């Protein structure tokens, strides 16, 4: 197998232990949870997800896990392959502010906060990142591309090169990438990804995705049943949680909500669609502001939200090649990541969500230094202007400094929508 | 999850239709259906069996060619595939009729009702026949299902080769017309015309299937010249059909009968529609399409997604995970729509 990284200069990894990170994470999480608990109606077993997102219990559980743990970034990584090797995938994208500061000691300030925050965890040797035996990184944007190089000093890093578009030639390249990733995982975990195993895991993940869609449909029928933040919380716990337990709990949640249906029809609030750069726990600043001001986040097309569980891998038949092809298609084609040259799919997705959820306004979360999303907001704004749908762009990062500023802007926007 | 629920309703219905049609087409006579009794217009007298005519021609008589007393002779019931004379009920192939009527220069007034029937069916249903009725399509589907159960690899034609096969289909269609016209030159003696007579059947891959499963004793009954070149071609086509074990519906990409019907696909009343906004471009429809067409996947501007190489199997609609994204219309009414499956 050809190695992508030559690693001519191997540096001793920079590490720095920082005390109190765990507590800081807990504090940030609890701040969000407190704000979320103000909501009148919340489903009963949401407390399970709260516990998972706090991470302490799950961390201990993973520490005791004898198999391999493989970290990944973005929505492009086929978790089927990882599960098929009896390893556990953990999504390492992070929204924690304190680790950004840690990272800024060695990296420049003008780098995307998501990368800095995630890498900060590695420097400070804490959280899930420390448990990972290997990391899979796609190449959607420049910061992630260079993160590959930097991380290669710390632990084995596998690269998944994302093509520039979704044409058939790109699809072939992408399929080759998936196949080589499969070989790498086989090599690393010393388990063969047989046809049966792939079939099983595809079914398992398919079950999770359909269950998520069920929840999504319940919320579409009545968005007030479950807050937007709670919805995102449920999604984001799936990045860390044991998949089978998550499925069980979410099945329970769906049952609970479908019983509840009738009571919440008259509750009218302003419906908001959140789109743009990923919003990851515990960086729920913008969401907290929106929902605390009385609006309802009914849908999103965030890659850390709906998009991470929405897409299905649907192989026509259980043969290895067709399954791998379906995996490749499932993760590439329906992605709405702005890393593609032409991203009409995202615009279509947003327009469809606006139509389906009868959205009042769009709030575009533009993470500072996330250029791709920032550039894309321009076209989306013009298209929405044509359709007479108001949109508000919020430039922000992980720090809490600008909370009040954003609050006034969002307040004014909501005020405008009310009229 | 319920276990007895039919996950793919359209495919389920289609398989039933295919099995029934296959039995009717190939072994219909055994089911107690007598071909003669199916006559819709029994008062029109049947002409001489043209076999007898051919015999009389050798004695010097003039051959009149087969007459077409009934509209349903051409396409639907009554007339069976010539390789299934004794046992079949009807045929799903139209090319035989085209070739034969040209060969005998049948006057248009006799053909009027047949062409009208064909047009009505084609405009109503388009290539519906390929997916739901055609026995060759069914055989190919069965071959593919066998491969699926053995978990062998599925192969694909390259886009270029698919185009080549489609062009080959056009070539075949045109050459069949030309050969039929050749066989119609009036001054030529029958012994010469015989060589290219019914070239469509002589080249048909069915020559190596139906006589063996339905037409005992096995009779190919063709011209000696045909046994040369045409047999070679038909063997090649038969092999192409066998390729469908690895590549879904390989013969359908060449089939001249399907080509003829495909001209009506775009305007037919059986139509597929897509909500461009609802489509997430997930590509599932490409993966499940037996002819791996990309048109449904690519179309994001218009609602109309009818195109020539679609065989109306509606698998894309069965598999589409987006609610109400794909729909089947018939005469303006929604027959079926894509659903989100639990």
């Amino acid at each position: 197998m050809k190695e992508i990284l030559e690693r001519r200069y191997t540096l001793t990894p920079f590490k720095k232990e920082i005390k109190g990170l765990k507590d800081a994470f807990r504090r940030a999480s609890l701040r969000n949870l407190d704000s979320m608990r103000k909501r009148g109606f919340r489903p009963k077993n949401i407390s399970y997800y709260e516990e998972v997102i706090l991470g302490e219990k799950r961390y201990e559980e993973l520490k005791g896990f004898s198999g391999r743990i493989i970290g990944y970034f973005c929505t492009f990584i086929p978790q089927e392959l990882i599960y098929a090797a009896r390893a556990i995938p953990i999504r390492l994208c992070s929204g924690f502010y304190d680790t950004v500061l840690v990272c800024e000691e060695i990296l420049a300030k003008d780098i995307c906060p998501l990368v800095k925050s995630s890498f900060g965890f590695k420097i400070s040797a804490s959280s899930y990142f420390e448990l990972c035996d290997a990391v899979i990184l796609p190449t959607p944007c420049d910061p992630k591309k260079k993160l590959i190089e930097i991380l290669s000093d710390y632990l084995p890093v596998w690269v998944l090169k994302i093509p520039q578009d979704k044409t058939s030639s790109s699809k072939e390249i992408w399929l080759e990438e998936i196949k080589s990733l499969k070989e790498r995982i086989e090599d690393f975990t010393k388990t063969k990804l047989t046809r049966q195993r792939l079939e099983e895991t595809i079914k398992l993940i398919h079950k999770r995705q359909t269950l998520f869609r069920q929840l999504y449909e319940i919320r579409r029928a009545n968005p007030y049943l479950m807050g937007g933040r709670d919805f995102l919380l449920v999604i984001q716990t799936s990045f860390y949680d044991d998949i089978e337990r998550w499925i069980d709990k979410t099945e329970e949640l769906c049952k609970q909500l479908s019983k509840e249906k009738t009571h919440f029809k008259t509750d009218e609030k302003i419906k908001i669609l959140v789109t743009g750069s990923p919003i990851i726990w515990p960086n729920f600043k913008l969401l907290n502001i929106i929902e605390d001001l009385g609006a309802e986040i009914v849908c999103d097309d965030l890659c850390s939200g709906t998009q991470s569980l929405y897409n299905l891998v649907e192989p026509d038949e259980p043969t290895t090649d067709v399954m791998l092809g379906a995996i490749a298609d499932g993760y590439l084609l329906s992605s709405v990541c702005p890393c593609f040259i032409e991203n009409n799919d995202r615009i279509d997705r947003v327009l469809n969500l606006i139509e389906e959820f009868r959205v009042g306004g769009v709030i575009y979360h533009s993470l500072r230094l996330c250029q791709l999303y920032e550039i894309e907001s321009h076209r989306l704004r013009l298209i929405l202007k044509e359709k007479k749908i108001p949109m508000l762009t919020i430039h922000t990062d992980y720090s809490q400094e600008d909370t009040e500023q954003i609050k006034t802007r969002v307040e004014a926007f909501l005020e405008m929508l009310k009229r | 999850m319920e276990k007895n629920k039919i996950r793919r309703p359209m495919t389920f219905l289609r398989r039933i239709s295919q099995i029934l049609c296959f039995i009717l087409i190939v072994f219909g006579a055994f089911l107690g259906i007598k071909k003669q009794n199916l006559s819709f217009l029994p008062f029109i007298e049947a002409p001489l069996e043209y076999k007898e005519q051919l015999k009389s021609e050798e004695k010097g008589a003039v051959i009149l060619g087969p007459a077409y007393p009934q509209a349903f002779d051409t396409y639907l019931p009554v007339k069976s595939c010539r390789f299934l004379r004794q046992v079949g009920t009807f045929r799903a192939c139209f090319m035989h009729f085209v070739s034969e009527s040209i060969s005998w220069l049948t006057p248009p007034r006799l053909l009027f009702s047949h062409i009208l029937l064909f047009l009505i069916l084609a405009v109503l249903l388009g290539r519906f026949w390929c997916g739901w009725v055609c026995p060759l399509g069914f055989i190919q589907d069965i071959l593919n299902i066998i491969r699926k159960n053995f978990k062998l690899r599925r192969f694909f034609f390259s886009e270029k080769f698919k185009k080549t096969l489609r062009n080959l289909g056009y070539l075949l269609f045109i050459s069949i017309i030309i050969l039929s016209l050749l066989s119609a030159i009036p001054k030529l003696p029958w012994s010469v015309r015989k060589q290219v007579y019914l070239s469509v059947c002589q080249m048909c891959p069915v020559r190596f299937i139906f006589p063996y499963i339905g037409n005992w004793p096995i009779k190919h009954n063709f011209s000696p010249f045909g046994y040369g070149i045409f047999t070679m071609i038909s063997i090649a086509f038969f092999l192409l059909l066998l390729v469908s074990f690895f590549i879904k519906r390989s013969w359908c990409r060449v089939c001249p009968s399907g080509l003829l019907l495909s001209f009506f696909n775009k305007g037919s009343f059986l139509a597929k529609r897509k909500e461009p906004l609802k489509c997430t471009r997930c590509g599932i429809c490409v993966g499940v399409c037996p002819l791996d067409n990309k048109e449904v996947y690519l179309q994001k501007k218009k609602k109309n997604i009818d195109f020539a190489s679609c065989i109306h199997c509606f698998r894309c609609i069965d598999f589409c995970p987006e609610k109400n994204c794909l729909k089947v219309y018939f005469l303006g009414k929604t027959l079926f729509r894509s659903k989100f499956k639990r």
Side-chain angles (χ1 to χ4, degrees):
Chain A
M1 204 180 352
K2 222 180 84 198
E3 280 294 331
I4 298 169
L5 301 172
E6 192 188 358
R7 300 192 65 215
R8 197 178 301 164
Y9 299 100
T10 44
L11 309 175
T12 41
F14 173 82
K15 280 194 178 177
K16 191 181 177 188
E17 198 137 333
I18 285 158
K19 273 174 195 164
L21 260 189
K22 235 183 203 170
D23 291 328
F25 185 81
R26 201 185 156 79
R27 249 179 285 129
S29 298
L30 284 175
R31 189 168 57 229
N32 286 332
L33 289 177
D34 282 341
S35 168
M36 282 152 79
R37 277 170 192 151
K38 280 181 210 157
R39 193 190 156 81
F41 172 79
R42 292 180 86 207
K44 256 179 238 155
N45 76 344
I46 201 83
S47 57
Y48 166 75
Y49 300 97
E50 287 179 358
E51 202 175 299
V52 174
I53 207 80
L54 284 173
E56 283 145 20
K57 232 182 188 176
R58 181 65 182 150
Y59 182 80
E60 293 304 318
E61 210 177 276
L62 283 173
K63 222 174 182 180
F65 180 66
S66 56
R68 300 284 198 175
I69 294 169
I70 296 173
Y72 68 95
F73 283 80
C74 294
T75 48
F76 288 102
I77 311 302
Q79 293 149 50
E80 281 88 349
L81 299 179
I82 302 172
Y83 279 119
R86 301 283 185 270
I88 292 180
I90 297 284
R91 185 162 168 182
L92 296 170
C93 295
S94 162
F96 186 38
Y97 178 61
D98 291 34
T99 44
V100 173
L101 298 175
V102 177
C103 186
E104 272 171 8
E105 284 183 28
I106 56 167
L107 291 184
K109 248 188 163 179
D110 297 345
I111 298 169
C112 139
L114 195 152
V115 162
K116 275 191 291 186
S117 170
S118 312
F119 182 46
F121 273 119
K122 188 70 213 170
I123 296 171
S124 58
S126 58
S127 182
Y128 298 120
F129 214 137
E130 203 40 40
L131 300 173
C132 292
D133 300 303
V135 171
I136 311 171
L137 260 159
T139 57
C141 51
D142 292 349
K144 290 223 172 84
K145 225 180 266 178
K146 295 321 284 180
L147 185 66
I148 295 166
E149 196 182 25
I150 292 172
L151 271 178
S152 67
D153 287 335
Y154 290 80
L155 75 172
V157 183
W158 306 327
V159 186
L160 215 57
K161 280 175 278 180
I162 292 173
Q164 305 282 323
D165 53 27
K166 298 172 185 173
T167 55
S168 51
S169 56
S170 305
K171 264 162 73 179
E172 272 165 39
I173 297 167
W174 176 245
L175 183 61
E176 286 308 309
E177 288 286 309
I178 297 283
K179 279 178 182 165
S180 73
L181 177 71
K182 181 186 162 232
E183 276 172 38
R184 246 167 250 274
I185 290 174
E186 278 178 342
D187 242 33
F188 187 73
T189 56
K190 306 268 183 320
T191 39
K192 193 141 175 44
L193 302 188
T194 53
R195 199 192 59 73
Q196 280 95 342
R197 280 196 176 182
L198 267 181
E199 197 185 343
E200 275 167 31
T201 43
I202 284 178
K203 270 186 189 153
L204 181 69
I205 299 214
H206 193 277
K207 196 179 168 191
R208 182 182 79 186
Q209 308 314 64
T210 46
L211 189 63
F212 167 73
R213 282 196 181 214
Q214 213 172 313
L215 187 65
Y216 179 85
E217 292 294 321
I218 289 171
R219 274 198 87 222
R220 171 152 72 181
N222 186 1
Y224 308 116
L225 268 180
M226 193 178 180
R229 280 173 296 175
D230 286 336
F231 187 58
L232 267 144
L233 174 71
V234 171
I235 294 167
Q236 299 196 359
T237 48
S238 75
F239 301 164
Y240 317 106
D241 200 7
D242 180 56
I243 181 164
E244 267 153 23
R245 198 171 53 203
W246 191 89
I247 288 172
D248 286 344
K249 290 283 175 187
T250 311
E251 244 166 19
E252 217 175 275
L253 181 71
C254 283
K255 259 184 214 159
Q256 229 177 76
L257 287 179
S258 45
K259 268 182 211 159
E260 213 76 47
K261 221 174 232 171
T262 48
H263 308 297
F264 287 87
K265 277 227 162 115
T266 47
D267 193 8
E268 280 290 340
K269 287 177 176 175
I270 298 169
K271 293 176 180 174
I272 296 288
L273 161 72
V274 175
T275 175
S277 315
I279 294 177
I280 307 170
W281 189 271
N283 175 38
F284 273 25
K285 182 176 63 181
L286 180 63
L287 306 181
N288 286 341
I289 291 168
I290 297 169
E291 293 213 328
D292 284 348
L293 285 171
E296 191 77 63
I297 298 159
V298 286
C299 52
D300 65 272
D301 82 327
L302 303 171
C303 68
S304 61
T306 307
Q307 283 302 315
S308 64
L309 290 181
Y310 189 78
N311 301 327
L312 294 168
V313 172
E314 188 103 49
D316 187 16
E317 53 189 50
T319 51
T320 315
D321 283 85
V322 170
M323 282 193 291
L324 282 176
I327 288 173
D329 282 2
Y331 281 90
L332 180 77
L333 294 182
S334 41
S335 166
V336 294
C337 184
C339 63
F340 299 106
I341 293 167
E342 204 184 15
N343 203 8
N344 298 322
D345 291 349
R346 173 138 178 265
I347 291 164
D348 274 0
R349 181 101 185 109
V350 169
L351 290 178
N352 183 39
L353 285 174
I354 289 169
E355 205 176 89
E356 273 182 3
F357 285 83
R358 278 178 247 111
V359 166
V362 176
I363 291 185
Y364 197 102
H365 172 241
S366 167
L367 206 56
R368 203 160 283 155
L369 301 161
C370 185
Q371 290 162 339
L372 293 172
Y373 274 108
E374 222 163 308
I375 293 170
E376 265 201 15
S377 71
H378 165 70
R379 274 175 74 84
L380 188 65
R381 189 187 314 116
L382 290 184
I383 287 166
L384 290 183
K385 204 174 180 185
E386 228 169 73
K387 309 227 171 217
K388 300 215 167 66
I389 296 152
M391 177 173 135
L392 174 74
T393 314
I394 300 279
H395 294 272
T396 177
D397 62 6
Y398 287 179
S399 72
Q400 296 285 333
E401 286 162 14
D402 52 355
T403 313
E404 286 306 314
Q405 240 170 307
I406 296 169
K407 203 169 184 174
T408 32
R409 287 193 64 197
V410 173
E411 209 166 5
F413 180 67
L414 293 178
E415 207 54 46
M416 189 196 80
L417 288 183
K418 261 179 206 163
R419 260 176 243 146
Chain B
M1 243 200 291
E2 295 161 62
K3 272 202 172 166
N4 297 326
K5 216 161 94 182
I6 300 159
R7 270 179 73 75
R8 316 278 175 225
M10 269 303 184
T11 308
F12 181 74
L13 282 179
R14 192 166 66 93
R15 292 280 180 252
I16 290 175
S17 156
Q18 278 183 321
I19 292 168
L20 285 179
C21 288
F22 187 81
I23 291 170
L24 272 176
I25 287 169
V26 182
F27 301 115
F30 291 122
L31 297 175
I33 302 169
K34 280 183 194 163
K35 278 180 267 174
Q36 281 75 17
N37 292 351
L38 271 176
S39 293
F40 279 73
L41 303 163
F43 46 85
I44 295 177
E45 251 181 74
L48 279 171
E49 260 292 305
Y50 65 103
K51 229 179 185 178
E52 281 169 39
Q53 290 181 33
L54 294 181
K55 265 183 206 160
S56 61
E57 188 255 5
E58 278 156 24
K59 291 168 199 157
V62 183
I63 304 169
L64 297 167
Y68 292 92
Q70 289 170 35
F72 287 87
D73 268 11
T74 54
Y75 197 25
L76 260 180
V78 183
K79 206 150 195 180
S80 60
C81 176
R82 63 182 293 118
F83 298 106
L84 289 166
R85 274 216 188 122
Q86 285 98 36
V87 289
T89 319
F90 68 95
R91 61 162 172 254
C93 155
F94 187 70
M95 283 312 286
H96 176 266
F97 166 71
V98 170
S99 175
E100 202 177 40
S101 58
I102 293 175
S103 281
W104 297 108
L105 293 174
T106 317
R109 68 186 161 76
L110 282 179
L111 294 177
F112 178 72
S113 56
H114 308 269
I115 291 171
L116 191 71
L117 176 75
F118 168 75
L119 284 177
I120 289 171
L121 283 170
V123 168
L124 272 182
L125 300 167
R127 267 186 94 168
F128 179 79
W129 298 93
C130 301
W132 293 66
V133 178
C134 180
L136 275 186
F138 181 62
I139 289 169
Q140 291 176 80
D141 282 354
I142 290 289
L143 281 173
N144 193 63
I145 287 169
I146 293 169
R147 175 195 58 82
K148 217 187 234 184
N149 287 338
F150 278 113
K151 312 277 195 273
L152 294 171
R153 195 181 156 173
R154 178 185 170 185
F155 288 82
F156 296 90
F157 285 129
S158 69
E159 284 300 312
K160 232 181 183 177
F161 195 66
K162 263 164 75 181
K163 220 173 218 172
T164 316
L165 284 178
R166 191 155 171 75
N167 289 339
L168 187 67
Y170 278 110
L171 185 73
L172 193 63
F173 187 80
I174 293 164
S175 59
I176 284 166
I177 304 285
I178 291 170
L179 286 169
S180 307
L181 282 172
L182 273 181
S183 73
I185 298 172
K187 287 275 164 62
L188 279 177
W190 171 245
S191 54
V192 179
R193 282 157 59 188
K194 195 164 106 180
Q195 309 298 332
V196 286
Y197 175 62
L198 274 185
S199 52
V200 56
C201 293
Q202 300 203 33
M203 290 192 276
C204 188
V206 153
R207 263 180 85 179
F208 296 95
I209 303 168
F210 282 178
Y212 297 92
I213 55 173
N215 204 13
W216 307 290
I218 296 156
K219 268 185 198 165
H220 292 289
N221 204 17
F222 276 108
S223 61
F225 178 70
Y227 270 118
I229 291 169
F230 287 136
T231 307
M232 299 281 262
I233 295 173
S234 73
I235 287 173
F237 285 155
F238 175 63
L239 290 177
L240 180 65
L241 192 134
L242 287 186
V243 165
S244 67
F245 186 74
F246 292 108
I247 301 170
K248 282 185 177 180
R249 294 262 181 168
S250 48
W251 161 251
C252 294
R253 297 157 208 259
V254 185
C255 178
S257 205
L259 185 75
L260 188 61
L261 286 172
S262 75
F263 298 135
F264 297 90
N265 236 0
K266 263 201 162 156
S268 71
F269 284 94
L270 187 68
K272 293 197 307 298
R273 294 286 180 270
K274 170 173 167 177
E275 288 292 333
L277 270 191
K278 285 199 160 72
C279 171
T280 61
R281 272 266 176 99
C282 61
I284 288 174
C285 45
V286 183
V288 299
C289 179
L291 287 151
D292 37 273
N293 292 318
K294 292 203 172 67
E295 277 85 347
V296 176
Y297 161 71
L298 288 174
Q299 184 59 266
K300 270 292 231 176
K301 286 184 179 158
K302 281 186 270 172
K303 283 193 168 189
N304 192 331
I305 42 164
D306 287 325
F307 54 95
S309 49
C310 172
I311 57 166
H312 288 318
C313 69
F314 304 135
R315 287 198 91 204
C316 43
I317 295 151
D318 255 353
F319 274 80
C320 179
E322 297 305 318
K323 201 174 162 189
N324 292 345
C325 178
L326 294 177
K327 283 174 191 168
V328 189
Y329 283 94
F330 184 59
L331 295 169
K333 275 183 186 166
T334 315
L335 272 192
F336 186 71
R337 55 184 80 203
S338 59
K339 276 179 213 146
F340 155 69
K341 280 136 217 125
R342 300 236 159 123

